[in-house]
Amino acid sequence: MKSPLKILAVDNEPSVTFSLSYVFGGPRYELTGVESGEAALAGLDADRYDIIIVDQKMPQLTGVELVREIRKRGVSGKIMVLSAQLSSEVRDEYERMDVHVMLAKPFDVSELRSVVERLAA
């Protein structure tokens, strides 16, 4: 049996990480949800993830700041942004840091699953 796809979801809204755990439930996925950039960095120090889903607007560390730190640490794993706060300047910054996908909230569940499967391939 193939190992589950390990996903780290970072969003300060517990309802979002709860929704993502529902979307990515089952044996194919193993989702860990955290509510801050600091918790995400601690999790990345302790474990490896295939895909990292990041929100932009969070307290302490924004999504851009978190991704910048992830890249600086050389963490492997594909990054996607799932946020309602995606101005053209923010999108440009993510593109410079080689973020793989940016989706707007509210998200379409089937599109999100499709994107994750494409990133995992």
Side-chain angles (χ1 to χ4, degrees), residues 76-90:
S76 64
K78 296 181 180 173
I79 298 174
M80 70 178 290
V81 176
L82 185 62
S83 181
Q85 307 292 322
L86 291 173
S87 68
S88 60
E89 295 82 17
V90 168

Side-chain angles (χ1 to χ4, degrees), residues 13-73:
E13 293 293 329
S15 61
V16 174
T17 52
F18 178 79
S19 296
L20 291 172
S21 69
Y22 180 76
V23 170
F24 296 108
R28 170 90 175 96
Y29 308 101
E30 182 181 316
L31 185 127
T32 301
V34 296
E35 296 180 13
S36 71
E38 292 85 358
L41 292 172
L44 290 169
D45 286 341
D47 208 345
R48 187 193 68 77
Y49 293 90
D50 301 302
I51 297 174
I52 303 164
I53 301 173
V54 176
D55 184 23
Q56 168 55 24
K57 189 175 179 186
M58 298 183 290
Q60 287 87 42
L61 288 176
T62 66
V64 166
E65 293 166 334
L66 174 59
V67 172
R68 189 174 294 123
E69 182 62 27
I70 289 170
R71 294 296 190 219
K72 189 165 74 172
R73 293 181 182 198

Side-chain angles (χ1 to χ4, degrees), residues 100-117:
H100 297 84
V101 176
M102 289 171 263
L103 293 179
K105 289 180 187 173
F107 56 88
D108 177 80
V109 171
S110 61
E111 180 183 16
L112 180 62
R113 280 190 186 132
S114 175
V115 166
V116 166
E117 288 299 323

